[in-house]
Amino acid sequence: MRFWSIFLFLLIFPYTSFAQQKRSKGDISFFEYSYRKAIKEYQKELEKGSLTSDQYLNLADSYLKVGNFKNASKIYVDIFKKDTIMTAHHFNMLLQSIARTSGMEEVKAFLGENKQKFSRELLENTEFNYELLQLKNELALTYEIFNVSSNSPQADFSPAFFKDKVLFSSARPGGSKKVYSPSGESYLNIYEAEVDSNGDMKAPREFGGLKTSKFHKSTPFYSEELKSLFYSLSNAVGSELLFSANGKNSMSIAMSSGSDAYKYILRDLDTSFYYPFYEAATGRLFFAANFEDSYGGTDLYFVYTNDGIIMSSPVNLGPRINTPGNEIAPFIFENTLYFASDVFYGLGGMDIYKSNLQDYNNFSIPVNLGTDINSKEDDFGLIIKNNDTNGLLGYFASNRYGGKGNDDVYGFKVDEKPGLKTLAFKGKVQKPNDGIGIGGAVVTLSDDEGTVLKEVTTDGYGNYQLEIPWRHKISLKAEKERYSTYLMDFNSEELDKMSTSKFNLELVLIDDILSESEAQVVIKMNKFYFNKGRAEISPEIAMELEKVVAAIKSFPKLQLRIESHTDSRGGSSYNFTLSQKRSNAIENYLLEQGVPKSNILYAVGYGEEKILNNCKNGVFCLEMLHNKNERSLVVVLNYNVLF
């Protein structure tokens, strides 16, 4: 696992940090990153007696970092069964070792038995990526990947665009750099390379635009907008390293606009900062750091800046991006965050993932980029841009088989943005008109055979979010008791054209469209009147009847009775006939507007049979009292059955 060598380049814990404490030879070797030697020393100590739980965990970590996953897995599982010292980060390493020795199904079984130990986001990410990787043959893009000419036998990684060139970090010997004892290679330095018409990196040379240092300089990012370079470097004063009270010398991030214009911007001797990325549109500086409150090992953060000057405390990208593993190398291209993680559900070691920025601080489920870009080894540090000719050009680092050295920089060309294709729906389930969110609604995505692919429940504000691997046809459904049901089918062409903006769904509450009248449940309408002695549907009446049409669209199982009444003026037979004509006219209008005949069970005219007051034949009444008796209702007959 070559990534661990690069990682320890950036995390220096000298012997003085533990020399004053009583440590075994195994401990000393472990904290000096001499993992093979640590294994030998811990084995000797086991032969003489026993190890503490912490030392046994160190032994498991050592086996993992030298690639002996079988022994690592055995020890991790043993510790898990009998002790509680394992952190979330060690759970990730446990699952990594199980994945390497027993496969995906064993990892799934372990997760199933220990779900309470993992966050909801991690479990969702895991399930999603396992499913997505199984579909890789159908969804994978075609890449042209090449090992660049500027690689050396040493570690070469963290490519960064610099004007018409590419910068990268390297442990190759050169200049004043000393040998860094934990790796056996030179202290890291930043190099630049020319880029030819095919995207190959050639003629590498030491980048001369930064302050001279004998120690680490690495993981650069150049901001064209600020005309400045962000990069990681060792904490030092002149030729002397700086150490914290805990004996640590970690990496800082500096900003430089030239060899004489240099300043630290993120610095803490107990915390390593590296892989800076500056987002000019928002002024945010993203980076990786190993704060003690991380979700696992190294997490991704950002700070707000004013032209690169830090204006806020670090903001963790949250559990959707950060995991119990290590996350590094953030890079944003066309509203998509690319980063690397060694979380257990990857293809092996560090893998590169993408996550869409859904709004300012929210991200979609991270998606493994799949084979080609990712391998069974460590793959990280992806950058990408639009090619000058066509398609996209990018670079990343990997220690996959067949390279020139330890980590190599690889170039790639591809027609579309990297990443297996997914479907994402996000928005709000709400009432029409007022937009009030509906909490507790169930939103479901199903395939064209009706199989449920993903189901979520809206939060208290009605918000929902769904993401699944790409399907050519899906159905989106939202429902809640006493509400209408939203159901929409989408084909491949419609899904391709869908906007990335919020997709809001409207549900109608039955109580908002019904009321009680004359001891009956009726469609809620404003009272309307036919012209005297007439049964034609006027525009005013049509406006109210559209509420019935809308009710049936929202609740297609409603069974209706249309009833019309007259006042007592005129003959009884005439009034009965007139009211029946009016009910028939209402029915015909509803049928013309698309209400199915099966929804209208009756259309009845009652004439003056059901007078609501004393305005009967021969009784003098004011006009307003007669008008009370003239009315039309649309009664819901099966309300008690449905609700």
mmCIF file of all heavy atoms in Angstrom, residues 50-78:
data_model
loop_
_atom_site.group_PDB
_atom_site.id
_atom_site.type_symbol
_atom_site.label_atom_id
_atom_site.label_comp_id
_atom_site.label_asym_id
_atom_site.label_seq_id
_atom_site.Cartn_x
_atom_site.Cartn_y
_atom_site.Cartn_z
ATOM 1 N N SER A 50 3.298 -11.017 26.515
ATOM 2 C CA SER A 50 2.089 -10.601 25.809
ATOM 3 C C SER A 50 2.211 -9.130 25.431
ATOM 4 O O SER A 50 3.080 -8.401 25.930
ATOM 5 C CB SER A 50 0.857 -10.814 26.683
ATOM 6 O OG SER A 50 0.946 -10.032 27.867
ATOM 7 N N LEU A 51 1.319 -8.694 24.557
ATOM 8 C CA LEU A 51 1.240 -7.299 24.148
ATOM 9 C C LEU A 51 0.012 -6.658 24.768
ATOM 10 O O LEU A 51 -0.997 -7.333 25.019
ATOM 11 C CB LEU A 51 1.140 -7.195 22.621
ATOM 12 C CG LEU A 51 2.302 -7.757 21.798
ATOM 13 C CD1 LEU A 51 1.997 -7.624 20.307
ATOM 14 C CD2 LEU A 51 3.606 -7.039 22.129
ATOM 15 N N THR A 52 0.087 -5.373 24.997
ATOM 16 C CA THR A 52 -1.113 -4.657 25.426
ATOM 17 C C THR A 52 -2.071 -4.585 24.238
ATOM 18 O O THR A 52 -1.694 -4.836 23.078
ATOM 19 C CB THR A 52 -0.765 -3.236 25.890
ATOM 20 O OG1 THR A 52 -0.294 -2.477 24.769
ATOM 21 C CG2 THR A 52 0.291 -3.260 26.987
ATOM 22 N N SER A 53 -3.308 -4.198 24.524
ATOM 23 C CA SER A 53 -4.287 -4.070 23.438
ATOM 24 C C SER A 53 -3.826 -3.050 22.406
ATOM 25 O O SER A 53 -3.979 -3.257 21.195
ATOM 26 C CB SER A 53 -5.651 -3.666 24.003
ATOM 27 O OG SER A 53 -6.168 -4.687 24.821
ATOM 28 N N ASP A 54 -3.245 -1.926 22.855
ATOM 29 C CA ASP A 54 -2.757 -0.916 21.925
ATOM 30 C C ASP A 54 -1.618 -1.453 21.067
ATOM 31 O O ASP A 54 -1.550 -1.169 19.862
ATOM 32 C CB ASP A 54 -2.301 0.334 22.677
ATOM 33 C CG ASP A 54 -3.473 1.154 23.197
ATOM 34 O OD1 ASP A 54 -4.517 1.174 22.533
ATOM 35 O OD2 ASP A 54 -3.327 1.767 24.271
ATOM 36 N N GLN A 55 -0.711 -2.208 21.670
ATOM 37 C CA GLN A 55 0.402 -2.766 20.909
ATOM 38 C C GLN A 55 -0.095 -3.815 19.903
ATOM 39 O O GLN A 55 0.401 -3.899 18.786
ATOM 40 C CB GLN A 55 1.426 -3.401 21.860
ATOM 41 C CG GLN A 55 2.213 -2.396 22.676
ATOM 42 C CD GLN A 55 3.108 -3.058 23.694
ATOM 43 O OE1 GLN A 55 2.728 -4.037 24.352
ATOM 44 N NE2 GLN A 55 4.330 -2.518 23.840
ATOM 45 N N TYR A 56 -1.084 -4.601 20.320
ATOM 46 C CA TYR A 56 -1.653 -5.601 19.411
ATOM 47 C C TYR A 56 -2.308 -4.912 18.217
ATOM 48 O O TYR A 56 -2.212 -5.376 17.081
ATOM 49 C CB TYR A 56 -2.671 -6.450 20.178
ATOM 50 C CG TYR A 56 -2.890 -7.834 19.623
ATOM 51 C CD1 TYR A 56 -1.832 -8.588 19.120
ATOM 52 C CD2 TYR A 56 -4.155 -8.392 19.613
ATOM 53 C CE1 TYR A 56 -2.030 -9.866 18.620
ATOM 54 C CE2 TYR A 56 -4.368 -9.669 19.113
ATOM 55 C CZ TYR A 56 -3.301 -10.398 18.617
ATOM 56 O OH TYR A 56 -3.502 -11.652 18.113
ATOM 57 N N LEU A 57 -2.928 -3.763 18.474
ATOM 58 C CA LEU A 57 -3.529 -2.986 17.384
ATOM 59 C C LEU A 57 -2.435 -2.403 16.490
ATOM 60 O O LEU A 57 -2.577 -2.375 15.263
ATOM 61 C CB LEU A 57 -4.385 -1.866 17.972
ATOM 62 C CG LEU A 57 -5.442 -1.217 17.056
ATOM 63 C CD1 LEU A 57 -6.382 -2.247 16.467
ATOM 64 C CD2 LEU A 57 -6.236 -0.174 17.842
ATOM 65 N N ASN A 58 -1.322 -1.965 17.090
ATOM 66 C CA ASN A 58 -0.186 -1.498 16.291
ATOM 67 C C ASN A 58 0.332 -2.607 15.380
ATOM 68 O O ASN A 58 0.722 -2.359 14.234
ATOM 69 C CB ASN A 58 0.950 -1.019 17.199
ATOM 70 C CG ASN A 58 0.597 0.240 17.963
ATOM 71 O OD1 ASN A 58 -0.377 0.916 17.650
ATOM 72 N ND2 ASN A 58 1.388 0.548 18.971
ATOM 73 N N LEU A 59 0.357 -3.832 15.898
ATOM 74 C CA LEU A 59 0.819 -4.960 15.100
ATOM 75 C C LEU A 59 -0.110 -5.195 13.910
ATOM 76 O O LEU A 59 0.350 -5.423 12.789
ATOM 77 C CB LEU A 59 0.899 -6.216 15.974
ATOM 78 C CG LEU A 59 1.323 -7.523 15.263
ATOM 79 C CD1 LEU A 59 2.696 -7.363 14.611
ATOM 80 C CD2 LEU A 59 1.335 -8.686 16.264
ATOM 81 N N ALA A 60 -1.425 -5.103 14.151
ATOM 82 C CA ALA A 60 -2.384 -5.254 13.055
ATOM 83 C C ALA A 60 -2.187 -4.165 12.009
ATOM 84 O O ALA A 60 -2.184 -4.429 10.801
ATOM 85 C CB ALA A 60 -3.808 -5.215 13.595
ATOM 86 N N ASP A 61 -1.999 -2.925 12.479
ATOM 87 C CA ASP A 61 -1.764 -1.813 11.554
ATOM 88 C C ASP A 61 -0.500 -2.052 10.734
ATOM 89 O O ASP A 61 -0.465 -1.760 9.526
ATOM 90 C CB ASP A 61 -1.618 -0.500 12.331
ATOM 91 C CG ASP A 61 -2.914 -0.047 12.973
ATOM 92 O OD1 ASP A 61 -3.973 -0.648 12.682
ATOM 93 O OD2 ASP A 61 -2.875 0.916 13.766
ATOM 94 N N SER A 62 0.520 -2.572 11.371
ATOM 95 C CA SER A 62 1.785 -2.824 10.666
ATOM 96 C C SER A 62 1.596 -3.866 9.572
ATOM 97 O O SER A 62 2.097 -3.703 8.448
ATOM 98 C CB SER A 62 2.855 -3.287 11.658
ATOM 99 O OG SER A 62 3.116 -2.295 12.630
ATOM 100 N N TYR A 63 0.881 -4.944 9.893
ATOM 101 C CA TYR A 63 0.605 -5.963 8.873
ATOM 102 C C TYR A 63 -0.175 -5.362 7.697
ATOM 103 O O TYR A 63 0.119 -5.637 6.536
ATOM 104 C CB TYR A 63 -0.193 -7.120 9.474
ATOM 105 C CG TYR A 63 0.650 -8.164 10.173
ATOM 106 C CD1 TYR A 63 0.410 -8.516 11.501
ATOM 107 C CD2 TYR A 63 1.681 -8.815 9.500
ATOM 108 C CE1 TYR A 63 1.169 -9.476 12.138
ATOM 109 C CE2 TYR A 63 2.458 -9.786 10.138
ATOM 110 C CZ TYR A 63 2.195 -10.114 11.455
ATOM 111 O OH TYR A 63 2.958 -11.069 12.072
ATOM 112 N N LEU A 64 -1.156 -4.533 8.020
ATOM 113 C CA LEU A 64 -1.959 -3.920 6.954
ATOM 114 C C LEU A 64 -1.086 -3.050 6.052
ATOM 115 O O LEU A 64 -1.217 -3.089 4.822
ATOM 116 C CB LEU A 64 -3.085 -3.080 7.563
ATOM 117 C CG LEU A 64 -4.037 -2.418 6.553
ATOM 118 C CD1 LEU A 64 -5.000 -3.434 5.961
ATOM 119 C CD2 LEU A 64 -4.829 -1.286 7.202
ATOM 120 N N LYS A 65 -0.194 -2.282 6.648
ATOM 121 C CA LYS A 65 0.576 -1.310 5.870
ATOM 122 C C LYS A 65 1.703 -1.938 5.069
ATOM 123 O O LYS A 65 2.258 -1.292 4.177
ATOM 124 C CB LYS A 65 1.081 -0.207 6.800
ATOM 125 C CG LYS A 65 -0.078 0.650 7.322
ATOM 126 C CD LYS A 65 0.321 1.597 8.427
ATOM 127 C CE LYS A 65 -0.922 2.335 8.940
ATOM 128 N NZ LYS A 65 -0.629 3.245 10.046
ATOM 129 N N VAL A 66 2.035 -3.205 5.358
ATOM 130 C CA VAL A 66 2.997 -3.910 4.501
ATOM 131 C C VAL A 66 2.294 -4.865 3.551
ATOM 132 O O VAL A 66 2.937 -5.608 2.809
ATOM 133 C CB VAL A 66 4.052 -4.672 5.339
ATOM 134 C CG1 VAL A 66 4.807 -3.709 6.234
ATOM 135 C CG2 VAL A 66 3.419 -5.808 6.147
ATOM 136 N N GLY A 67 0.948 -4.865 3.577
ATOM 137 C CA GLY A 67 0.193 -5.670 2.627
ATOM 138 C C GLY A 67 -0.098 -7.079 3.067
ATOM 139 O O GLY A 67 -0.582 -7.889 2.260
ATOM 140 N N ASN A 68 0.163 -7.413 4.335
ATOM 141 C CA ASN A 68 -0.175 -8.745 4.845
ATOM 142 C C ASN A 68 -1.588 -8.685 5.424
ATOM 143 O O ASN A 68 -1.792 -8.586 6.639
ATOM 144 C CB ASN A 68 0.839 -9.177 5.910
ATOM 145 C CG ASN A 68 0.670 -10.639 6.307
ATOM 146 O OD1 ASN A 68 -0.426 -11.191 6.218
ATOM 147 N ND2 ASN A 68 1.749 -11.251 6.749
ATOM 148 N N PHE A 69 -2.586 -8.738 4.536
ATOM 149 C CA PHE A 69 -3.972 -8.518 4.941
ATOM 150 C C PHE A 69 -4.526 -9.694 5.755
ATOM 151 O O PHE A 69 -5.399 -9.504 6.593
ATOM 152 C CB PHE A 69 -4.826 -8.272 3.705
ATOM 153 C CG PHE A 69 -4.355 -7.112 2.878
ATOM 154 C CD1 PHE A 69 -3.748 -7.319 1.645
ATOM 155 C CD2 PHE A 69 -4.481 -5.816 3.351
ATOM 156 C CE1 PHE A 69 -3.293 -6.255 0.893
ATOM 157 C CE2 PHE A 69 -4.029 -4.740 2.605
ATOM 158 C CZ PHE A 69 -3.427 -4.959 1.373
ATOM 159 N N LYS A 70 -4.019 -10.875 5.503
ATOM 160 C CA LYS A 70 -4.523 -12.051 6.232
ATOM 161 C C LYS A 70 -4.233 -11.930 7.723
ATOM 162 O O LYS A 70 -5.128 -12.099 8.565
ATOM 163 C CB LYS A 70 -3.899 -13.321 5.667
ATOM 164 C CG LYS A 70 -4.414 -14.595 6.319
ATOM 165 C CD LYS A 70 -3.812 -15.835 5.668
ATOM 166 C CE LYS A 70 -4.330 -17.103 6.325
ATOM 167 N NZ LYS A 70 -3.747 -18.324 5.697
ATOM 168 N N ASN A 71 -2.984 -11.628 8.064
ATOM 169 C CA ASN A 71 -2.633 -11.481 9.478
ATOM 170 C C ASN A 71 -3.303 -10.251 10.091
ATOM 171 O O ASN A 71 -3.743 -10.275 11.246
ATOM 172 C CB ASN A 71 -1.118 -11.385 9.644
ATOM 173 C CG ASN A 71 -0.440 -12.737 9.516
ATOM 174 O OD1 ASN A 71 -1.101 -13.771 9.469
ATOM 175 N ND2 ASN A 71 0.886 -12.740 9.445
ATOM 176 N N ALA A 72 -3.382 -9.169 9.317
ATOM 177 C CA ALA A 72 -4.048 -7.965 9.816
ATOM 178 C C ALA A 72 -5.506 -8.264 10.141
ATOM 179 O O ALA A 72 -6.009 -7.890 11.210
ATOM 180 C CB ALA A 72 -3.943 -6.851 8.778
ATOM 181 N N SER A 73 -6.179 -8.945 9.238
ATOM 182 C CA SER A 73 -7.597 -9.260 9.438
ATOM 183 C C SER A 73 -7.796 -10.101 10.690
ATOM 184 O O SER A 73 -8.703 -9.844 11.488
ATOM 185 C CB SER A 73 -8.121 -9.997 8.207
ATOM 186 O OG SER A 73 -9.446 -10.425 8.421
ATOM 187 N N LYS A 74 -6.955 -11.107 10.876
ATOM 188 C CA LYS A 74 -7.092 -11.998 12.035
ATOM 189 C C LYS A 74 -6.961 -11.221 13.346
ATOM 190 O O LYS A 74 -7.756 -11.403 14.279
ATOM 191 C CB LYS A 74 -6.024 -13.088 11.957
ATOM 192 C CG LYS A 74 -6.077 -14.098 13.098
ATOM 193 C CD LYS A 74 -5.004 -15.164 12.926
ATOM 194 C CE LYS A 74 -5.082 -16.185 14.041
ATOM 195 N NZ LYS A 74 -4.890 -15.586 15.381
ATOM 196 N N ILE A 75 -5.978 -10.321 13.415
ATOM 197 C CA ILE A 75 -5.764 -9.564 14.649
ATOM 198 C C ILE A 75 -6.884 -8.555 14.871
ATOM 199 O O ILE A 75 -7.404 -8.412 15.981
ATOM 200 C CB ILE A 75 -4.394 -8.861 14.619
ATOM 201 C CG1 ILE A 75 -3.266 -9.907 14.569
ATOM 202 C CG2 ILE A 75 -4.225 -7.963 15.849
ATOM 203 C CD1 ILE A 75 -1.888 -9.310 14.386
ATOM 204 N N TYR A 76 -7.277 -7.826 13.816
ATOM 205 C CA TYR A 76 -8.353 -6.845 13.949
ATOM 206 C C TYR A 76 -9.630 -7.493 14.474
ATOM 207 O O TYR A 76 -10.297 -6.972 15.378
ATOM 208 C CB TYR A 76 -8.643 -6.171 12.611
ATOM 209 C CG TYR A 76 -7.675 -5.096 12.201
ATOM 210 C CD1 TYR A 76 -7.161 -5.067 10.901
ATOM 211 C CD2 TYR A 76 -7.276 -4.098 13.087
ATOM 212 C CE1 TYR A 76 -6.272 -4.073 10.496
ATOM 213 C CE2 TYR A 76 -6.386 -3.092 12.695
ATOM 214 C CZ TYR A 76 -5.890 -3.098 11.405
ATOM 215 O OH TYR A 76 -5.027 -2.115 11.006
ATOM 216 N N VAL A 77 -10.006 -8.629 13.895
ATOM 217 C CA VAL A 77 -11.237 -9.310 14.310
ATOM 218 C C VAL A 77 -11.119 -9.763 15.752
ATOM 219 O O VAL A 77 -12.074 -9.660 16.535
ATOM 220 C CB VAL A 77 -11.540 -10.502 13.379
ATOM 221 C CG1 VAL A 77 -12.701 -11.333 13.927
ATOM 222 C CG2 VAL A 77 -11.877 -10.001 11.980
ATOM 223 N N ASP A 78 -9.931 -10.265 16.129
ATOM 224 C CA ASP A 78 -9.715 -10.716 17.505
ATOM 225 C C ASP A 78 -9.861 -9.555 18.483
ATOM 226 O O ASP A 78 -10.516 -9.673 19.530
ATOM 227 C CB ASP A 78 -8.322 -11.337 17.616
ATOM 228 C CG ASP A 78 -8.082 -11.948 18.990
ATOM 229 O OD1 ASP A 78 -8.956 -12.691 19.461
ATOM 230 O OD2 ASP A 78 -7.021 -11.652 19.594
#
